[in-house]
Amino acid sequence: MHQSVDSSIYGDFRYKALSSLQLDVFGGTSVSEAAHDFYMGAGVTWRIPR
């Protein structure tokens, strides 16, 4: 049984806008045939004080 490996290169950028707010952008590209060609996304992280 032969299976191909799902390999990709990934990178991200994080920006701390405020002491409790962070913005994220990430993306990657495939290195092998089994991986997706390209992917990207974004996110927001908010630290809720106690």
Side-chain angles (χ1 to χ4, degrees):
M1 181 180 205
H2 177 71
Q3 294 179 344
S4 52
V5 178
D6 181 359
S7 298
S8 61
I9 296 174
Y10 170 86
D12 66 22
F13 175 75
R14 299 174 187 170
Y15 176 70
K16 190 171 183 180
L18 300 170
S19 63
S20 60
L21 181 68
Q22 178 176 302
L23 307 173
D24 308 312
V25 176
F26 64 88
T29 187
S30 67
V31 179
S32 66
E33 299 253 343
H36 298 289
D37 290 333
F38 180 77
Y39 57 91
M40 58 187 279
V44 176
T45 304
W46 176 45
R47 185 176 151 262
I48 301 171
R50 291 185 179 190

